[in-house]
Amino acid sequence: MIRVMIVDDQDLIRLGLRTLVENEDGLAFAGEAADGLAAVTVAQQTQPDIVLMDIRMPGIDGIEATRRIIATPELDHTKIIVL
């Protein structure tokens, strides 16, 4: 199973992506976040294989959240796909 985390500040986008992930064979929903700072925390807690990352969000944006996630040693296996 590939564990997928979703990061987007829009509830409807997160819900739609979560529905797609949960209904796709081989994918498992690993968590979600509505802003960049929460994304870093959730990624550290859930250690997803893939993060679907929005760029424009309140607080720290997706670029900075990506920097922080890839700088975390225990997340070195995590890949980030920018939306």
Side-chain angles (χ1 to χ4, degrees):
M1 284 295 236
I2 298 170
R3 301 182 68 242
V4 180
M5 180 180 148
I6 300 164
V7 183
D8 198 294
D9 60 328
Q10 296 181 31
D11 294 338
L12 191 56
I13 299 294
R14 286 195 320 274
L15 177 62
L17 290 171
R18 180 178 184 165
T19 301
L20 288 172
V21 167
E22 290 178 332
N23 289 298
E24 186 65 34
D25 291 338
L27 298 181
F29 178 71
E32 66 181 50
D35 62 61
L37 193 55
V40 176
T41 301
V42 173
Q44 290 170 337
Q45 293 170 347
T46 64
Q47 298 191 1
D49 299 307
I50 295 175
V51 176
L52 300 177
M53 178 75 72
D54 184 21
I55 293 295
R56 292 179 294 200
M57 294 181 290
I60 65 170
D61 63 15
I63 301 295
E64 180 59 28
T66 297
R67 284 188 190 113
R68 293 182 188 190
I69 289 170
I70 64 173
T72 304
E74 61 267 15
L75 297 174
D76 63 349
H77 72 283
T78 301
K79 305 298 183 215
I80 300 177
I81 299 172
V82 176
L83 304 175

